[in-house]
Amino acid sequence: MPSAALADTLYTKAGDIISGKLLTFQDGLCLFKTRYGAPITLQGKELAALVTEDSYRMGETACKPSALAR
């Protein structure tokens, strides 16, 4: 998969940094595609930050490309 298609980054509270593509963020769960296999699901409360290049809608708030701290 080309790296340009995987332009988002997750930062976990445990210190992990995961590059990939945000698929969805609903009901406190983040579904994230990496180049290593099947998409992974993380609980939002485990995230320190999420950096995206695209705009997403989370709940009632539209999010612009930026770091989204949880």
Side-chain angles (χ1 to χ4, degrees):
M1 186 174 278
S3 61
L6 298 174
D8 301 331
T9 306
L10 291 175
Y11 297 87
T12 70
K13 291 181 180 177
D16 299 307
I17 301 171
I18 306 168
S19 296
K21 183 69 177 163
L22 177 64
L23 299 176
T24 64
F25 197 118
Q26 285 184 264
D27 301 323
L29 294 176
C30 176
L31 184 61
F32 201 76
K33 174 71 176 152
T34 70
R35 63 180 169 171
Y36 304 110
I40 60 172
T41 302
L42 296 118
Q43 292 185 357
K45 66 182 180 180
E46 298 302 322
L47 299 179
L50 167 59
V51 178
T52 68
E53 289 190 352
D54 296 323
S55 295
Y56 293 94
R57 183 167 292 280
M58 296 173 66
E60 295 298 317
T61 306
C63 298
K64 298 292 183 199
S66 63
L68 304 174
R70 181 118 175 93

